[in-house]
């Protein structure tokens, strides 16, 4: 999860988020090089009185500064499209969970089980236990198996919401009358926090999401105790 004074992304927990972090660093380096070059040229123009007349109207220079931006855009677009298609792929999910947004809580239904569903409300500040996080803890966590592909079906029953967990690289809009889907897979166990990322009313800030990723055997014990 995020920590005070954090400047970068949260630590990646899924392969998709690792790819997104690599793409971010790749693009940021290109932006940094372009900015440095432009700043260098501006500083030269401001500090020198000499003018190179042969470069002010040169066909070769115009050709370079036309082709070079196109090459840079291709270098950004190709990795971006690759990740976009990776995020859309759904290959035989091991588990499906339906998420419904409400004003202002989430409800979850494990569709592979006959009767496994619950609502997830934020824990009020007055009821927090020592070590729990204000505005992020919920009364019912979403327990999922790690290292397995999980499909999340996301919708809403009232207004627009957005189901987002940054460390997993997930953000899916919850739209009334529409069923969106996304996949997640965690490479390590732990607690992963998120929040509603679409302004949905007065209590928009009080719709946290908590995923508890555990090994498969612990998930089976949990699902048996909840059924």
């Amino acid at each position: 999860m995020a920590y005070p004074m954090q400047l970068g992304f949260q630590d990646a927990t899924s392969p998709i988020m690792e790819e997104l972090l690599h793409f971010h660093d790749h693009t940021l380096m290109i932006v940094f090089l372009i900015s440095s070059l432009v700043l260098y040229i501006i500083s030269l123009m401001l500090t020198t009185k000499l003018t190179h007349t042969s470069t002010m109207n040169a066909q070769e220079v115009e050709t370079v500064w036309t082709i070079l931006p196109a090459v840079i855009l291709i270098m950004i677009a190709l990795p971006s499209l690759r990740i976009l298609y990776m995020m859309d792929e759904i290959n035989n999910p091991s588990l499906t969970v339906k998420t419904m947004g409400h004003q202002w809580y989430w409800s979850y239904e494990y569709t592979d089980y006959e009767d496994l569903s619950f609502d997830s409300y934020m824990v009020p500040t007055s009821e927090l236990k020592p070590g729990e996080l204000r505005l992020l803890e919920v009364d019912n966590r979403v327990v999922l198996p790690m290292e397995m592909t999980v499909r999340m079906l996301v919708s809403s029953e009232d207004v627009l919401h957005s189901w987002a967990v940054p460390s997993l690289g997930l953000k899916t809009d919850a739209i009334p009358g529409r069923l969106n889907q996304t996949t997640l897979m965690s490479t390590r166990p732990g607690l992963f926090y998120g929040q509603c990322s679409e302004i949905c009313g007065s209590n928009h800030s009080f719709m946290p999401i908590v995923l508890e990723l555990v090994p498969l055997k612990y998930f089976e014990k949990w699902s048996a105790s909840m059924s």
Side-chain angles (χ1 to χ4, degrees), residues 194-219:
Q195 290 177 300
C196 177
S197 297
E198 186 75 48
I199 297 177
C200 56
S202 59
N203 290 335
H204 158 69
S205 303
F206 310 115
M207 289 183 63
I209 302 160
V210 182
L211 303 185
E212 184 175 352
L213 277 300
V214 297
L216 179 60
K217 62 178 181 180
Y218 294 106
F219 171 77

Side-chain angles (χ1 to χ4, degrees), residues 11-173:
D11 292 339
T13 307
S14 66
I16 290 295
M17 189 58 189
E18 290 180 2
E19 293 286 343
L20 289 173
L21 287 178
H22 292 154
F23 175 68
H24 169 266
D25 296 341
H26 165 74
T27 309
L28 192 64
M29 185 57 63
I30 293 176
V31 172
F32 175 75
L33 292 175
I34 294 173
S35 302
S36 301
L37 178 61
V38 171
L39 184 63
Y40 174 70
I41 294 175
I42 291 175
S43 63
L44 284 183
M45 293 176 64
L46 293 176
T47 56
T48 182
K49 297 180 180 180
L50 300 177
T51 302
H52 200 291
T53 55
S54 63
T55 59
M56 298 303 292
N57 188 20
Q59 194 72 31
E60 295 80 6
V61 176
E62 293 179 3
T63 303
V64 169
W65 72 39
T66 301
I67 295 177
L68 191 60
V71 173
I72 293 173
L73 288 176
I74 292 173
M75 291 174 60
I76 295 175
L78 291 180
S80 176
L81 289 172
R82 172 176 168 270
I83 297 174
L84 188 63
Y85 280 101
M86 287 175 60
M87 294 175 69
D88 280 341
E89 284 186 3
I90 298 176
N91 297 320
N92 299 323
S94 304
L95 181 68
T96 300
V97 180
K98 185 171 74 174
T99 304
M100 296 295 292
H102 307 265
Q103 288 182 311
W104 287 272
Y105 65 95
W106 297 99
S107 61
Y108 300 93
E109 179 183 348
Y110 291 70
T111 58
D112 298 291
Y113 296 81
E114 288 187 2
D115 188 20
L116 182 51
S117 61
F118 53 84
D119 297 330
S120 182
Y121 290 86
M122 186 193 75
V123 177
T125 304
S126 59
E127 299 178 12
L128 288 175
K129 299 176 182 177
E132 292 185 337
L133 302 171
R134 178 178 171 271
L135 301 182
L136 287 177
E137 295 293 345
V138 296
D139 55 357
N140 289 310
R141 295 171 176 169
V142 183
V143 181
L144 298 172
M146 58 174 285
E147 295 181 337
M148 297 181 68
T149 303
V150 179
R151 176 172 58 185
M152 303 296 298
L153 303 177
V154 183
S155 186
S156 171
E157 285 200 354
D158 37 49
V159 299
L160 291 176
H161 301 280
S162 185
W163 196 81
V165 183
S167 60
L168 289 167
L170 298 175
K171 184 177 181 183
T172 304
D173 287 340

